[in-house]
Each structure stands twice: as structure tokens, then as C-alpha cells.
């Protein structure tokens, strides 16, 4: 078991707790970072860091916080870790290969957006070299050790990023994912792992493994923190050839309109693989039982087409992308590459173009079958991994056992799906077991909302550092505290984003209008198409709106997902009262259409038919 006993009374590293501590003066970012460096030294044998930032290296970002308002910067003072195949200006990027290392002059786009939102980098983390592997043992900086049991693998390739969160050294972290590297480590360390749709997060400043399949990922303690980080990190980047704007239309699907009912696809028992691990098999059964008690409905799907796609990742021509990413090192200095990694990458220069096209044809055929099954359910649920190996077991058969870990993950990016890894029931031996929820492209927020429901049905067990758990899904005594929110567009009843309210337990309070002092504009972009509400006391009119009561504990995650130029401000209603509601930055109306005369969003949409 763990060489280092879990620390007690460690500062809660969740976003809300840190922000509350900052607001009350119990903590400063400087004191927190000093404490993190001190605690990191106690876990040196876990091989988490390739470069832990010094006080001097963090000074610029800490000083910048003095010019940032905590209330308007959702990640103000929140510490995060960066996988060392992602650039941070002035700090070497190694990809866990010292001979390959370089020092970038620019910071990766996603990292910069997180810093702009107030987050503070803590360091660059260890990984399976060149992000080739999902176990965490393929690094010259040492294997990544699991946060719950030192003898077990952390999972990779995002090994250090996951363990840094699980051991309370950061509040969230960035990883990457090609075959499962943003999900396997989450499952092994009791974390949320967000594997977003490819292109949702910019890849500028991220060293590719398989450029056409890679995506940056997020590890966090709970779904609300993950959503807040995702909202700050996402965005279209014209410099990234695989970047794409999120249309949000697939997020809603039939969600929210079915009054909270969920139908989740699961794998039939004949297609499940646990590789003899009875503890994981039992934890999976326990997880499904708890979700069934919470109202989840299950429908069996055929996993065979998903598995056939998965086999193409390492057995097909995509290994050529890994070869491209490591040239000329693999050609000129192959001994610099970790042996198991070299064994995978070296043949990558041989597949002909015909092999790639044949594989693409087959994947497209299989994708049609997979999407047809997805269309019958809200999402599909699988184990994140079928077993959990010790480091010794992994080193005995590194290729075979790495492949076994990828049984439930390797197909995901080849099919262009979004996925969220979520903690499930713990095993009988007290080790984490995780499940993964996946859906079609840009179903990211829908999956996060389902992950939130999973965490309420299966309260997050206290982790390696005895951190506070996600609240259980118990009915509170007395009336829960709520915050009234005015909505006027895509969040209205029956509209595409209404699920973001219903899945947080929000209820419709009333339908009314604003005071006669507002103008409404149809903003550029979409779908979903969005209105902008602007105060105009001279030429304004009354606009149809709804008031929803949102549980206060979920208000922050709801607001964090609101994209610019929209925001929350005070809106005056027809009865003279004021309520928090959607407003728009005035600059956005330059390219917008004035639709005030329709009197509301529904009337405007009706006019388009």
C-alpha cells in the first residue's frame, strides 16, 4: 500500500472552497502556492512532476491577480497542473524525453485562456513518453504511482496530471487524450476526466501524438469544477486546423424535455471484459445498481462495432501519426526513446496510403452503426477500464496489458465522440472504480450534466487526501436555497438549452415580461441562436421572459457555462421588481438584428418558419 500516509485536514482544493477562503481572507494565492510546494516534496516518490514551478517562476501570474477581480474571473487563484506535452512559455516542454526538450516562447492557447481567467500554473507533469500509452509507466522520469495505492499504476499517459489532482496538489489539471489518456487516469484516481469533442479545445501549443485524433483534457474533483474549467478553456482557434466552434445543438437532443428521465446504453454481459478482476466486476455491478435506484434506465447495445474501431488505433495505420510526431528523433536517435514507446512508433513509417484509406472507409461504415445505437439512448455507459494493474504487472507485459486497459477507450476519438469519466462505486478493497459516459460530437455539456447526476447518486468517496465529497442526492430538510434567474432565449421552456436548468434541479417559477425598457437583438452565430437583451429606457419595450428558481449550489456552474457576450446582471420586471438574468454586452449588437418588435424570442422564432 501507499508509502506515504494520507495527509489529514488538507485545505479543500475544490473551486468553491478556495474562492470562499480567498474572500474571507483565510487564504491568499501566495500562501497556497507555498503550501503546495511544501506538500509536493512529500510526494516526490510518486514521480508527478517533470518541472515544479518555483516561487520566482510563479511571481508574474500571482502579481497579475492584483489587477483581476475575483468576482469576474472564475478561476481566480485556482492552481492547476499542465501535462508536459503542452507549452508554457519559458518552461521546457519535454514530452518525457529529455533529448527532445525545447523551451517555447509562446504559451498554449488553452493554458493562456485559463491564466486569463485567473488560474495559476503549478508545474509540468510526468507522462507516458510522447503520450504513447495509457498506463503511466513509460517515462524516464519514473513510473506514475497511483494516489490510492503506491504499487499500482496511475494510468497514463496523463499520469502526473491525474495524481496531482488526486493528492490535492492542484484543483484541476490539463492532460491529453488519443486513446484514453484523459479517462483511464481519472478512473484509477477517483476523478472526473473530461475528454471533450475534438477541436472544442484548441490544440495550439500541444505536441501531437496523433494530430487528427488528439484533444486536450481536464481532470477535476467534481463535474461542477470540470465545467467551470472547460468553459474557460474552450473556444475556436483559427491557428488550429482541427479547431471547430461548438454549435451546442447536439447537447440538448431530447434532454430536459423528458422530465429528467434517462435511458443509458450499457454493454451486454457477454461483451464485458474484466480480465479476471472480480473486484472491478463487482464494483461495476454495484455502480449500475446504485444508478438504477436513482432512476437510470438501461438498454443493452452491441459493443462489437465500437471494439472493431478500437482495434484500428494501434493495429491500423494511425501509428504513422505517432511516427510523424517524433521525427527525426525516431530516425536519427531511436535509443533516446523509451523502449516500449519505440516498439510502438518505429513501424509507423511503413503503412502505405492505401491502408489509411481502407481503414477510414471501414471506420465510416462502423460509425453509422454506432451512431444509430447512440440515437436510441441519452448516452452510453461503460467501465472506464476492465482492471487495474500494479506497476510490476504492467512492466511484465507492457504492450499486452496496455491494450487491455484500452478496451473501453480506444475507439472514442476515431469515432469523434465526447466522453466523461466519472467515479463509480469503490471496490471492496477501497480502490477507485470508474465509469465513462459517451455521446456524439459536442454532447460535452449534456454528458457533464449526466455526470453530475451520477455523482449525486453515488457520492464521491473521500479521496487519497480525505477531501470533502460531492453532496449526496438526499432530499434536504426544509426548503433548499434557490436563486431566481430570468431567461429570455435558448433556455426558455422547450428551447434547446433548457436542459441546463432542469438538470440542475431548477423549476419554472413564472412567465412574465420585463419592464418596458429593453430591446432584444438576434445575435450573430449559432445554432442555437441566441438573443441579446439590452437596456434602453427611451425606446425599449416589454419582452417575454421566464423566471426559473435554481438551487444555489448549482448556480455557479450554470453561470460558468454562459458564453460571451452574454452574462448575468440585474433586470427589471413588469411589476417593478429586479431579478438576476441574462443580459448582453452592448458591443455585440453591431452585427445583430433588432427583433424588439416581436416582443419575445418565441415570437421571433415563429416568424422564421
Amino acid at each position: 500500500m501507499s508509502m506515504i500516509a494520507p495527509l489529514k485536514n488538507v485545505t479543500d482544493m475544490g473551486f468553491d472552497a478556495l474562492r470562499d477562503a480567498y474572500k474571507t481572507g483565510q487564504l491568499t494565492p501566495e500562501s497556497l502556492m507555498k503550501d503546495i510546494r511544501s506538500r509536493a516534496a512529500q510526494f516526490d516518490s510518486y514521480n508527478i512532476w517533470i518541472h515544479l514551478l518555483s516561487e520566482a517562476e510563479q511571481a508574474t501570474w500571482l502579481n497579475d491577480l492584483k489587477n483581476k477581480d475575483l468576482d469576474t474571473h472564475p478561476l481566480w487563484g485556482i492552481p492547476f497542473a499542465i501535462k508536459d506535452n503542452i507549452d508554457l512559455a519559458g518552461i521546457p516542454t519535454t514530452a518525457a524525453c529529455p533529448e527532445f526538450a525545447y523551451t517555447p516562447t509562446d504559451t498554449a492557447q488553452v493554458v493562456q485562456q485559463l491564466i486569463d481567467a485567473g488560474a495559476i500554473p503549478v508545474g509540468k507533469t510526468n507522462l507516458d513518453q510522447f503520450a504513447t500509452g495509457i498506463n503511466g509507466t513509460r517515462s524516464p522520469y519514473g513510473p506514475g504511482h497511483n494516489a490510492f495505492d503506491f504499487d499500482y499504476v496511475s494510468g497514463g499517459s496523463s499520469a502526473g496530471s491525474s495524481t496531482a489532482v488526486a493528492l490535492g496538489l492542484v484543483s484541476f489539471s490539463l492532460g491529453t487524450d488519443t486513446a484514453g489518456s484523459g479517462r483511464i487516469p481519472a478512473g484509477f484516481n477517483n476523478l472526473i476526466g473530461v475528454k471533450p469533442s475534438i477541436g472544442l479545445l484548441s490544440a495550439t501549443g500541444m505536441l501531437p501524438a496523433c494530430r487528427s485524433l488528439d484533444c486536450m483534457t481536464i481532470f477535476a474533483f467534481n463535474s461542477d469544477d470540470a465545467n467551470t474549467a472547460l468553459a474557460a478553456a474552450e473556444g475556436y482557434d483559427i491557428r488550429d486546423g482541427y479547431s471547430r466552434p461548438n454549435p451546442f445543438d447536439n447537447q440538448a437532443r431530447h434532454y430536459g424535455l423528458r422530465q429528467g428521465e434517462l435511458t443509458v446504453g450499457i454493454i451486454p454481459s457477454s461483451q464485458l471484459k474484466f480480465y479476471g478482476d472480480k473486484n472491478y466486476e463487482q464494483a461495476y455491478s454495484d455502480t449500475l445498481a446504485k444508478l438504477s435506484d436513482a432512476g437510470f434506465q438501461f438498454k443493452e447495445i452491441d459493443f462489437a462495432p465500437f471494439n472493431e474501431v478500437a482495434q484500428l488505433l494501434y493495429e491500423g495505420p494511425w501509428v504513422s501519426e505517432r511516427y510523424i510526431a517524433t521525427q527525426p528523433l525516431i530516425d536519427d536517435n531511436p535509443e533516446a526513446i523509451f523502449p516500449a514507446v519505440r516498439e510502438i512508433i518505429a513501424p509507423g513509417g511503413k503503412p502505405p496510403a492505401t491502408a489509411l484509406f481502407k481503414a477510414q472507409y471501414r471506420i465510416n461504415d462502423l460509425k453509422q452503426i454506432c451512431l444509430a445505437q447512440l440515437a436510441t439512448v441519452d448516452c452510453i455507459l461503460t467501465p472506464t477500464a476492465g482492471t487495474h494493474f500494479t506497476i510490476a504487472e504492467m512492466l511484465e507485459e507492457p504492450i499486452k496489458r496496455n491494450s487491455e486497459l484500452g478496451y473501453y477507450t480506444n475507439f472514442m476519438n476515431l469515432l469523434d465522440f465526447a466522453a466523461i469519466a466519472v467515479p463509480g462505486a469503490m471496490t471492496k478493497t477501497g480502490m477507485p472504480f470508474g465509469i465513462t459516459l459517451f455521446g456524439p460530437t459536442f454532447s460535452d455539456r449534456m454528458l457533464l450534466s449526466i455526470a453530475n447526476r451520477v455523482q449525486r447518486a453515488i457520492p464521491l468517496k473521500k479521496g487519497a487526501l480525505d477531501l470533502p465529497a460531492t453532496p449526496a442526492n438526499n432530499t434536504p430538510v426544509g426548503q433548499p436555497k434557490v436563486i431566481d434567474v430570468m431567461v429570455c432565449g435558448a433556455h426558455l421552456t422547450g428551447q434547446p438549452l433548457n436542459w441546463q436548468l432542469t438538470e440542475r434541479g431548477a423549476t419554472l417559477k413564472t412567465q412574465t415580461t420585463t419592464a418596458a425598457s429593453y430591446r432584444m437583438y438576434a445575435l450573430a452565430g449559432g445554432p442555437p441562436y441566441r438573443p441579446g437583451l439590452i437596456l434602453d429606457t427611451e425606446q425599449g419595450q416589454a419582452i417575454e421572459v421566464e423566471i426559473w428558481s435554481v438551487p444555489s449550489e448549482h448556480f455557479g456552474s450554470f453561470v460558468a457555462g454562459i458564453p460571451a457576450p452574454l452574462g448575468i446582471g440585474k433586470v427589471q420586471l413588469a411589476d417593478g421588481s429586479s431579478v438576476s438574468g441574462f443580459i448582453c454586452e452592448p458591443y455585440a449588437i453591431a452585427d445583430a438584428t433588432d427583433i424588439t418588435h416581436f416582443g419575445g424570442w418565441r415570437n421571433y422564432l415563429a416568424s422564421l418558419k
Side-chain angles (χ1 to χ4, degrees), residues 213-453:
L213 304 178
D214 295 335
C215 57
M216 216 173 287
T217 65
I218 295 169
F219 297 100
F221 294 119
N222 57 62
S223 57
D224 285 346
D225 287 358
N227 183 64
T228 300
L230 180 63
E234 69 179 300
Y236 175 69
D237 179 4
I238 196 171
R239 298 171 298 168
D240 173 11
Y242 287 90
S243 181
R244 12 179 209 182
N246 188 350
F248 293 105
D249 55 347
N250 282 340
Q251 289 184 11
R253 297 173 75 210
H254 302 294
Y255 214 67
L257 306 181
R258 298 170 61 177
Q259 298 181 341
E261 293 182 0
L262 278 172
T263 301
V264 175
I266 58 172
I267 301 174
S269 58
S270 61
Q271 295 177 325
L272 288 168
K273 290 187 179 182
F274 293 103
Y275 306 99
D277 191 331
K278 296 299 182 182
N279 286 320
Y280 257 42
E281 186 174 4
Q282 184 61 52
Y284 177 67
S285 296
D286 292 345
T287 298
L288 293 189
K290 290 177 183 292
L291 295 181
S292 179
D293 290 343
F296 283 57
Q297 303 294 318
F298 299 121
K299 177 182 178 179
E300 290 190 349
I301 56 95
D302 180 13
F303 192 62
F306 299 92
N307 183 43
E308 185 177 342
V309 172
Q311 293 172 16
L312 288 170
L313 184 62
Y314 284 102
E315 297 174 13
W318 276 271
V319 70
S320 295
E321 288 200 272
R322 296 185 184 273
Y323 183 88
I324 292 170
T326 59
Q327 280 187 295
L329 192 64
I330 189 70
D331 292 336
D332 299 337
N333 188 14
E335 295 303 315
I337 299 178
F338 203 78
V341 175
R342 185 172 65 246
E343 183 178 345
I344 293 168
I345 293 177
K350 298 177 181 179
T354 52
L356 175 61
F357 283 112
K358 288 178 180 179
Q360 287 179 333
Y361 300 154
R362 184 55 182 158
I363 283 178
N364 283 340
D365 291 340
L366 292 167
K367 186 174 181 179
Q368 300 296 335
I369 301 170
C370 295
L371 285 173
Q373 295 195 81
L374 267 173
T376 68
V377 295
D378 289 286
C379 70
I380 293 177
L381 180 158
T382 73
T384 298
T387 188
H388 191 177
F389 295 114
T390 66
I391 292 174
E393 288 171 334
M394 182 58 63
L395 295 178
E396 284 174 356
E397 297 187 78
I399 305 297
K400 175 178 179 290
R401 286 177 172 155
N402 189 84
S403 178
E404 289 173 348
L405 291 183
Y407 179 68
Y408 300 108
T409 63
N410 284 350
F411 61 87
M412 207 74 71
N413 286 343
L414 284 167
L415 292 174
D416 198 14
F417 291 161
I420 309 292
V422 191
M426 299 286 277
T427 70
K428 300 300 182 183
T429 58
M431 290 292 284
F433 167 80
I435 58 173
T436 291
L437 311 169
F438 72 87
T441 316
F442 296 126
S443 61
D444 308 82
R445 283 320 189 304
M446 181 192 72
L447 294 171
L448 271 170
S449 74
I450 301 175
N452 183 276
R453 290 182 64 170

Side-chain angles (χ1 to χ4, degrees), residues 38 146 259 314 375 437 443 478 481 489 498 533 567 588:
S38 175
N146 184 263
Q259 298 181 341
Y314 284 102
L437 311 169
S443 61
K481 293 181 179 180
N498 183 251
L533 196 66

Side-chain angles (χ1 to χ4, degrees), residues 70-88:
L70 188 153
D71 291 327
T72 59
H73 290 75
L75 300 179
W76 196 95
I78 303 297
F80 75 108
I82 304 166
K83 185 175 179 178
D84 199 21
N85 60 345
I86 302 170
D87 288 346
L88 180 64

Side-chain angles (χ1 to χ4, degrees), residues 117-137:
I120 304 297
V122 171
K124 306 291 291 296
T125 57
N126 197 9
L127 65 150
D128 280 325
Q129 192 177 73
F130 294 114
T132 301
I134 48 177
N135 61 82
T137 67

Side-chain angles (χ1 to χ4, degrees), residues 494-512:
Q495 296 302 308
L497 298 185
N498 183 251
W499 67 271
Q500 293 183 351
L501 290 165
T502 59
E503 283 309 301
R504 287 172 168 80
T507 57
L508 178 63
K509 184 176 182 180
T510 187
Q511 294 177 323
T512 183

Side-chain angles (χ1 to χ4, degrees), residues 530-564:
R530 299 174 297 162
L533 196 66
I534 302 288
L535 179 67
D536 188 340
T537 56
E538 296 183 1
Q539 302 182 56
Q541 297 182 26
I543 304 296
E544 177 196 12
V545 298
E546 290 179 352
I547 311 300
W548 283 75
S549 296
V550 181
S552 58
E553 66 267 28
H554 300 310
F555 181 74
S557 65
F558 176 70
V559 173
I562 298 172

Side-chain angles (χ1 to χ4, degrees), residues 19 65 68 72-77 112-119 232:
R19 290 174 66 85
L65 286 182
K68 295 177 179 177
T72 59
H73 290 75
L75 300 179
W76 196 95
Q112 189 58 57
Q113 288 177 199
L114 295 170
I115 291 172
D116 291 344

